[in-house]
């Protein structure tokens, strides 16, 4: 027996308990423990039936992801599964919490399955660029129909125990503590009140039409469909004799383990969790029972919605009565949207709206625990608002700014309690986007930082700790690499080709389309703000200014880089081609052609350069924090793991060589960050840096 698996006997039935916190992942000790337990119970003539259950918050939530890529230690999970299935004593799995991946595969090898009410089951391996590798693709279609099998395995989303019962994946729903249910149900299994079935012996009838429809769907997605297509190929093996099917599945699983998608998606999985590891993690957060938001515009309303969805009563302050109605309309509209998306039940809608107050009376914030300011981006206005908050808010209230680039140290100078000031930078739409940059100023108290992170957890956001600089982590890096697209366009690359090349790389949308969507006037204001600070050596492209001067701000004006037609289609804006040609003539630029590969290389390299500087300067704690920012706030393709995870695939020396070759055209823009040069010299990677910090 191992320390994570224990057995208990109750007369002629026995239970096997797995206790491997935090999520009972199927690590080596657990696997060995289960096999040892089975050997002992099978050899015990008294034992007539066995129940397998878990202690802690969940049934087995899958294979131990941390073991992937390391030499496998027997017994491997397929062995444990086959061992369970072959047991001469009937075994029932009692599943609570989330029975996922290898956890559900273990249960599918038991001879009956019971779900505790409220639990979920799923095969989320595709979210890690994998597929079920311990029989899930072969055994699930023996208990569930083809449509359910395809949806669960290629989609990766868990289903409720109630649905699992409906689809034949589990045999019973029970309430109660898994340990007690285990004993009760094992007795029913002994007495044949619960039928034992050996999954491998059950017939399988794959629906060919559904399979081929799914195949065509994933083939049509190109590289984005590759992971799902591989999983579907494994399901096809279910029609073969079972051991052949299992062997084919395993081969595809091993292939997936070596894939780039898996590497990137595994990194993304851990990035989402690693960012919580901050110097202030041991601090006790301040309690946030009520909150205030200054400004009911798009961002303010989104922030208020996010907090209302987390059950926090919110008071929104607007400057004028006519704006009060707009804020109420926007926020209730957001909440109705949440009902549609299933994030809020119909029943809870009214109670949630009841937690909202919108007023022009700022003194109503005198008792709130947190205020988030989301007003116009001017230091003068920020100072005015914070000075008022300093006078109104109670001692200990956290005073936060949602500024997306202004200096938080400077903002904090407007109050007598700078230790309570912090940046909480949400991303639009704030009630949807998962990223929250927690910007720590010089005087921000450690417990205020911890409060920012605790709030993020309640809002189901991924919080990333950022230092103070212009644009913090995300916007600073964006400001740098966005320039590379303007340079390529001016040097001859077609901006539509640039958009398509980056969509091909996996981006949800290309940079010019994103510009049109978010409004070109935002970038225009930003360029005007930065103009006095722009170094003379910095190359400047005037095309975007010309588009804005023509009054075209993108989708919201029907024209930007593209023209947006009533039928939803878009075509290139011919004016832009003229603006480009004029500027090329003016600057004596002879346009040249670019391959998609060169476009992606220049774009990503520019991104990596500024990412490295942000890590070098300590604005971000680790490279993985930068990856999390781009994965959860900027739509960086998840299967690439983030810009610095991707950088390791290229290698520091190759990046240095690439930057030096680009520098021949523009030595000011293309400079090798010291950190990257050192990594090239030392042969280290960003992954190494993540381990160190
Ligand atoms: N392996 C190792 N560590 C894991 C883990 C796993 N499978 N799942 C979670 N953790 C760690 C996580 O890193 C964190 O650690 C802590 O547990 C709490 O997690 C052969 C190949 C179960 C729904 O994909 O979806 O089985 O940061 O913060 O929000 O076919 O974790 O505290 O140090 O996420 O309550 C398939 C992945 C694996 C499930 C709980 N299984 N996990 O969510 O807590 S592949 C999965 C989750 C597989 C077989 C294949 C969630 C959760 P730390 P958490 P949570």
């Amino acid at each position: 027996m191992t320390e994570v698996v224990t057995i208990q006997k109750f007369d002629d039935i026995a239970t096997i308990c797995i206790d491997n916190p935090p999520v009972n992942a199927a690590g080596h000790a657990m696997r060995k423990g289960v096999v040892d337990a089975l050997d002992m119970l099978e050899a015990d003539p008294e034992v007539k039936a066995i129940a397998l259950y878990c202690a802690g918050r969940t049934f087995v939530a899958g294979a131990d992801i941390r073991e992937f890529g390391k030499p496998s230690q027997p017994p491997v999970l397929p062995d444990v599964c086959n061992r369970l299935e072959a047991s001469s004593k009937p075994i029932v799995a009692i599943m609570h919490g989330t029975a996922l991946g290898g956890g559900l595969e273990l249960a599918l090898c038991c001879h009956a399955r019971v779900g505790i009410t409220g639990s979920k089951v799923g095969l989320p391996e595709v979210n890690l660029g994998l597929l079920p590798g311990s029989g899930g693709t072969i055994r699930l279609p023996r208990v569930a129909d083809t449509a359910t099998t395809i949806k669960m395995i290629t989609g990766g989303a868990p289903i409720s125990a109630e649905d699992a019962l409906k689809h034949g994946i589990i045999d019973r729903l029970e309430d109660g503590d898994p340990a007690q249910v285990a004993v009760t149900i094992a007795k029913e299994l002994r007495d044949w009140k619960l039928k034992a079935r050996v999954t491998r012996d059950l017939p399988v009838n794959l629906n060919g039409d559904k399979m081929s429809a799914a195949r065509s769907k994933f083939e049509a997605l190109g590289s984005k469909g590759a992971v799902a297509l591989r999983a579907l190929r494994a399901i096809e093996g279910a029609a073969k004799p079972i051991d052949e099917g299992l062997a084919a599945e395993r081969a595809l699983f091993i292939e997936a383990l070596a894939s780039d998608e898996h590497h990137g998606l595994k990194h993304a999985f851990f990035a989402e969790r690693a960012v919580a590891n901050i110097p202030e993690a041991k601090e006790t957060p301040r309690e946030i029972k009520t909150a205030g938001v200054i400004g009911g515009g798009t961002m303010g309303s989104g922030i208020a919605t996010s907090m209302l969805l987390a059950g926090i009563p919110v008071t929104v302050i607007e400057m004028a009565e006519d704006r009060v109605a707009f804020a109420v309309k926007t926020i209730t509209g957001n909440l109705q949207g949440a009902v549609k998306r299933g994030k809020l039940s119909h029943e809870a809608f009214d109670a949630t709206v009841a937690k909202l107050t919108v007023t022009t009376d700022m003194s109503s914030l005198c008792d709130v625990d947190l205020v988030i300011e989301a007003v116009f981006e001017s230091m003068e206005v920020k100072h005015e608002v914070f000075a008022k908050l300093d006078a109104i808010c109670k001692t200990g209230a956290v005073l936060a700014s949602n500024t997306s680039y202004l200096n938080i140290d400077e903002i904090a100078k407007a109050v007598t309690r700078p230790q309570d000031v912090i940046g909480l930078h949400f991303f639009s739409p704030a009630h949807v986007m998962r990223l929250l940059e927690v910007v720590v100023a010089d005087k921000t108290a450690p417990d205020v930082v911890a409060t920012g992170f605790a709030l993020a957890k309640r809002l189901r956001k991924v919080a990333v700790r950022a230092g103070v600089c212009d644009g913090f982590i995300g916007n600073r890096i964006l400001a740098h690499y966005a320039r590379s697209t303007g340079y390529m366009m001016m040097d001859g690359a077609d901006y539509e080709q640039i958009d398509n090349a980056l969509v091909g790389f996996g981006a949800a949308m290309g940079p010019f389309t994103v510009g049109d969507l978010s409004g070109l006037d935002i970038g225009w204001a930003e360029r005007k703000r930065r103009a006095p600070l722009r170094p003379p050596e910095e190359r400047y492209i005037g095309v975007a200014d010309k588009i804005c001067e023509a009054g075209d701000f993108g989708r919201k004006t029907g024209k930007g880089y593209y023209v947006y037609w009533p039928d939803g289609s878009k075509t290139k804006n011919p004016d832009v081609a003229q603006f480009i040609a004029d500027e090329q003539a003016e600057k004596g630029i002879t346009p040249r052609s670019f391959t998609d590969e060169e476009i992606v290389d220049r774009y990503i390299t520019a991104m990596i350069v500024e990412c490295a500087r942000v890590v070098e300067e300590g604005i971000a704690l680790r490279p993985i924090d930068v990856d999390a920012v781009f994965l959860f706030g900027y739509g960086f393709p998840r299967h690439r793991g983030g810009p610095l995870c991707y950088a390791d695939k290229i290698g520091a020396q190759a990046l240095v060589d690439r930057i030096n070759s680009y520098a021949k055209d523009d030595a000011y823009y293309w400079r090798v960050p010291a950190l990257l040069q050192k990594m090239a010299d030392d042969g280290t990677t960003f992954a190494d840096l993540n381990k160190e910090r």
Side-chain angles (χ1 to χ4, degrees):
M1 298 302 288
T2 61
E3 67 289 352
V4 298
V5 176
T6 51
I7 58 178
Q8 277 187 291
K9 276 184 65 181
F10 303 87
D11 304 332
D12 60 356
I13 61 108
T15 61
I16 298 175
C17 173
I18 297 167
D19 189 1
N20 185 25
V23 295
N24 290 313
H28 178 247
M30 177 274 207
R31 299 192 305 268
K32 184 167 180 335
V34 169
V35 169
D36 293 351
L38 276 174
D39 292 346
M40 282 177 73
L41 294 174
E42 278 215 286
D44 183 336
E46 269 183 13
V47 173
K48 300 285 181 290
I50 302 166
L52 175 71
Y53 75 97
C54 290
R57 62 181 165 152
T58 180
F59 189 74
V60 180
D64 190 330
I65 303 170
R66 291 166 300 200
E67 291 185 357
F68 292 166
K70 298 189 180 124
S72 64
Q73 293 177 282
V76 291
L77 199 51
D79 299 341
V80 183
C81 287
N82 295 339
R83 184 75 190 71
L84 278 167
E85 192 170 50
S87 165
S88 58
K89 313 264 170 92
I91 307 175
V92 58
I94 310 296
M95 298 177 281
H96 74 293
T98 50
L100 301 175
L104 180 56
E105 290 175 299
L106 283 169
L108 285 168
C109 291
C110 294
H111 310 115
R113 283 157 293 285
V114 169
I116 300 290
T117 308
S119 64
K120 290 186 173 179
V121 303
L123 294 170
E125 284 85 348
V126 285
N127 301 336
L128 291 164
L130 299 172
L131 58 122
S134 302
T137 67
I138 305 302
R139 292 191 175 91
L140 185 66
R142 281 171 161 74
V143 294
D145 59 52
T146 307
T148 304
T149 299
I150 292 172
K151 188 163 179 232
M152 286 181 70
I153 292 176
T154 62
I159 65 172
S160 67
E162 291 70 18
D163 286 347
L165 182 66
K166 229 179 353 191
H167 292 300
I169 298 168
I170 66 173
D171 305 288
R172 277 277 188 87
L173 261 183
E174 292 286 339
D175 293 325
D177 170 56
Q180 281 147 17
V181 171
V183 175
T184 316
I185 297 293
K187 290 180 179 161
E188 294 201 23
L189 194 63
R190 174 199 62 196
D191 306 338
W192 290 97
K193 290 193 185 122
L194 174 63
K195 195 157 175 283
R197 301 182 301 163
V198 179
T199 309
R200 74 174 13 246
D201 300 339
L202 299 174
V204 57
N205 176 15
L206 281 181
N207 177 315
D209 296 346
K210 289 199 167 30
M211 290 295 284
S212 50
R215 194 173 315 107
S216 324
K217 182 176 104 184
F218 296 127
E219 279 164 353
L221 293 174
S223 66
K224 290 195 178 118
V227 172
L229 210 50
R230 186 190 285 127
L232 199 70
R233 277 171 47 209
I235 298 172
E236 285 161 4
K240 297 180 183 148
I242 187 156
D243 293 319
E244 251 182 71
L246 289 171
E249 176 201 80
R250 193 71 190 168
L252 287 164
F253 176 73
I254 302 298
E255 180 191 301
L257 266 181
S259 68
D260 289 345
E261 289 93 350
H262 171 58
H263 179 75
L265 290 165
K266 183 172 85 173
H267 183 82
F269 176 85
F270 285 119
E272 184 174 342
R273 289 150 181 90
V275 288
N277 181 2
I278 55 170
E280 299 85 1
K282 297 214 170 9
E283 294 287 332
T284 309
R286 298 184 189 177
E287 199 179 12
I288 306 293
K289 290 202 295 296
T290 56
V293 175
I294 312 286
T298 310
M299 282 311 289
S301 293
I303 294 167
T305 307
S306 187
M307 294 204 279
L308 288 166
L309 287 170
I312 302 172
V314 179
T315 302
V316 174
I317 304 294
E318 258 301 355
M319 298 309 152
E321 276 308 327
D322 62 341
R323 298 288 306 166
V324 169
F326 173 82
V328 172
K329 186 162 164 283
T330 311
I331 297 168
T332 44
N334 290 345
L335 292 171
Q336 276 146 1
V339 171
K340 279 205 202 88
R341 291 196 316 276
K343 300 279 180 211
L344 181 68
S345 67
H346 284 282
E347 299 68 44
F349 177 79
D350 294 339
T352 305
V353 172
K355 288 196 174 84
L356 171 65
T357 308
V358 185
T359 170
T360 55
D361 173 15
M362 208 153 166
S363 69
S364 58
L365 298 179
C366 58
D367 263 339
V368 297
D369 303 307
L370 161 73
V371 180
I372 303 179
E373 157 280 312
V375 297
F376 184 68
E377 293 275 46
S378 112
M379 191 53 81
E380 205 186 326
V381 176
K382 304 288 186 193
H383 276 176
E384 208 186 302
V385 169
F386 274 77
K388 284 191 187 144
L389 291 175
D390 195 23
I392 292 167
C393 294
K394 69 178 181 183
T395 306
V398 173
L399 308 179
S401 171
N402 176 57
T403 179
S404 47
Y405 59 80
L406 289 176
N407 187 316
I408 308 289
D409 292 318
E410 189 54 37
I411 291 176
K413 289 186 182 147
V415 300
T416 58
R417 45 177 135 173
Q419 72 280 7
D420 300 334
V421 174
I422 192 166
L424 292 180
H425 179 211
F426 289 76
F427 288 75
S428 185
H431 59 296
V432 176
M433 292 299 286
R434 295 197 59 209
L435 180 65
L436 178 66
E437 280 184 327
V438 176
V439 187
V440 182
D442 290 350
K443 298 200 174 80
T444 304
D447 69 330
V448 170
V449 181
T451 307
F453 273 76
L455 176 75
K457 203 159 184 153
R458 283 174 75 182
L459 305 184
R460 296 175 175 284
K461 303 250 182 237
V462 178
V464 177
R465 190 185 190 285
V468 172
C469 69
D470 193 321
F472 318 130
I473 298 177
N475 283 348
R476 169 182 163 170
I477 296 167
L478 170 65
H480 180 79
Y481 69 80
R483 286 205 290 278
S484 71
T485 57
Y487 296 160
M488 288 191 274
M489 177 182 71
M490 189 48 58
D491 294 339
D494 171 352
Y495 62 84
E496 192 166 36
Q497 181 197 4
I498 294 174
D499 272 357
N500 295 339
L502 290 163
V503 169
F505 178 74
M509 240 183 253
F512 296 94
T513 306
V514 170
D516 275 2
L517 183 68
S518 41
L520 299 175
D521 48 332
I522 296 173
W524 197 24
E526 169 63 8
R527 288 189 300 279
K528 284 183 194 159
R529 178 184 72 84
R530 285 191 71 248
L533 313 164
R534 192 176 303 121
E537 314 93 297
E538 182 180 303
R539 190 178 174 194
Y540 189 75
I541 306 301
V543 172
D545 297 346
K546 294 260 182 334
I547 301 172
C548 293
E549 284 153 17
D552 299 327
F553 299 144
R555 269 183 202 244
K556 58 184 168 187
T557 57
K559 214 158 86 163
Y561 284 98
Y562 299 94
V563 179
Y564 297 86
W565 302 100
D567 65 358
S569 67
K570 71 175 186 183
T571 53
K572 288 171 65 180
N573 174 357
D575 303 345
V576 177
Q578 194 53 55
F579 295 148
I580 295 170
D582 295 349
E583 192 163 334
Q584 285 168 336
E586 193 190 306
K587 292 177 175 171
I589 295 170
T590 311
R592 67 175 179 86
S593 65
F594 284 72
T595 61
D596 286 4
E597 189 189 352
E598 182 184 358
I599 288 170
V600 171
D601 287 354
R602 281 176 174 267
Y603 185 84
I604 295 295
T605 306
M607 189 187 285
I608 292 167
V609 163
E610 200 61 18
C611 289
R613 290 193 182 120
V614 160
V615 174
E616 192 177 288
E617 294 167 23
I619 300 294
L621 289 175
R622 297 154 294 239
I624 201 165
D625 294 63
V626 177
D627 286 335
V629 162
F630 280 84
L631 289 168
F632 299 103
Y634 293 80
F636 194 91
R638 198 179 162 88
H639 69 277
R640 307 259 185 206
L644 296 181
C645 173
Y646 186 72
D648 278 350
K649 227 170 83 61
I650 304 167
Q653 189 56 56
L655 284 163
V656 167
D657 298 345
R658 197 187 272 181
I659 296 164
N660 288 333
S661 74
Y662 295 160
K664 295 192 188 83
D665 308 330
D666 183 345
Y668 175 78
Y669 183 69
W670 293 107
R671 285 169 288 155
V672 178
L675 173 64
L676 201 58
Q677 187 60 61
K678 184 169 181 324
M679 291 166 63
D681 300 344
D682 304 350
T684 53
T685 66
F686 288 108
D688 297 330
L689 285 182
N690 285 328
K691 292 192 196 108
E692 280 166 27
R693 301 186 182 187

